[in-house]
Amino acid sequence: EVQLVESGGGLVQPGGSLRLSCAASGFTFSISWMTWVRQAPGKGLEWVATINLDGSDKFYVDSVKGRFTISRDNARNSLFLQMNSLGVEDTAVYYCVRYATMDIWGQGTLITVSS
Amino acid sequence: DIQMTQSPSSLSASVGDRVTITCRASQGIRNDLNWYQQKPGKAPKRLICVASTLESGVPSRFSGSGSGTEFTLTINSLQPEDSATYYCLQNNSFPRTFGPGTKVDI
């Protein structure tokens, strides 16, 4: 069974940093592009970032460029999202999603940016 | 960037009704479009990929059509468990963009 389990969410102050992790299982992670999507409370879905197989290509939504970094560790079947200079507008549930075509989603982890 | 719009933004229907949701892209995206269903407090679930291919396990009352800039999601014989918000996603190019969603109440 394909599983994606996010961790690392929580409360952080504006300007702070947080690193999200996603543990993947049930499929060959190393041959799978991976994606992060977020959803602010009561709002719609927003694509955040996608990474290719070996991490050599990364794509970001404009609002996080220069602040967020997507990365992966294929040996550990793990996806990461390093988030710096967080603002209140980054408050959301963050989902780890398989493929750039987004078929399987994790359960999500909540990030709250507040003082 | 490709902008995605959806209509209606919400609808109310009865069990057994046929419901159609429309998604439009600001430029042609071939058939690179997915549909998702999201229930409150849950992660989205992909229903349809490449505009019209039903995911395994998704009831056949769901169907998708379209290509280029206009797409539709149809739910035939609406069931109580279909109450949810539905989103389209273009995966033709980066940045990926979702439609704003259509809330279906039953």
Side-chain angles (χ1 to χ4, degrees):
Chain A
E1 179 192 6
V2 173
Q3 273 203 314
L4 299 167
V5 179
E6 302 94 338
S7 60
L11 176 64
V12 61
Q13 292 191 336
S17 298
L18 212 56
R19 189 192 197 210
L20 303 183
S21 299
C22 171
S25 60
F27 65 101
T28 307
F29 182 77
S30 60
I31 60 170
S32 304
W33 287 49
M34 295 296 294
T35 294
W36 288 100
V37 173
R38 67 184 178 183
Q39 185 170 36
K43 303 296 185 182
L45 302 169
E46 181 182 39
W47 169 79
V48 174
T50 294
I51 189 168
N52 72 341
L53 304 182
D54 62 2
S56 59
D57 274 333
K58 303 173 185 182
F59 305 86
Y60 299 95
V61 67
D62 281 350
S63 59
V64 308
K65 282 179 183 175
R67 301 189 300 123
F68 289 13
T69 301
I70 188 172
S71 63
R72 65 191 298 159
D73 183 338
N74 287 342
R76 292 163 54 194
N77 290 342
S78 295
L79 177 71
F80 306 101
L81 187 67
Q82 177 67 43
M83 304 184 293
N84 299 329
S85 302
L86 285 161
V88 294
E89 68 277 8
D90 297 313
T91 293
V93 173
Y94 286 72
Y95 294 100
C96 169
V97 191
R98 189 175 72 163
Y99 298 155
T101 52
M102 303 186 221
D103 65 341
I104 304 295
W105 297 56
Q107 84 286 351
T109 187
L110 175 63
I111 310 301
T112 302
V113 184
S114 175
S115 54
Chain B
D1 298 0
I2 299 174
Q3 309 303 318
M4 305 300 293
T5 59
Q6 278 183 244
S7 61
S9 57
S10 65
L11 66 91
S12 183
S14 300
V15 172
D17 284 353
R18 181 182 184 185
V19 165
T20 298
I21 299 168
T22 298
C23 178
R24 290 184 174 87
S26 60
Q27 63 191 73
I29 58 170
R30 303 181 303 185
N31 64 348
D32 298 327
L33 184 110
N34 298 344
W35 288 99
Y36 297 86
Q37 176 193 65
Q38 186 179 33
K39 297 183 178 180
K42 299 294 188 182
K45 172 187 174 182
R46 194 168 78 173
L47 299 176
I48 288 169
C49 63
V50 288
S52 60
T53 300
L54 207 62
E55 293 286 343
S56 173
V58 174
S60 59
R61 62 181 179 273
F62 290 91
S63 64
S65 64
S67 69
T69 61
E70 187 156 334
F71 303 85
T72 59
L73 172 69
T74 300
I75 312 172
N76 285 301
S77 189
L78 200 64
Q79 297 300 303
E81 61 266 30
D82 300 335
S83 180
T85 301
Y86 294 84
Y87 296 92
C88 61
L89 163 74
Q90 69 81 14
N91 53 73
N92 178 263
S93 63
F94 290 103
R96 299 291 197 244
T97 42
F98 289 90
T102 296
K103 185 176 182 183
V104 175
D105 287 322
I106 301 170

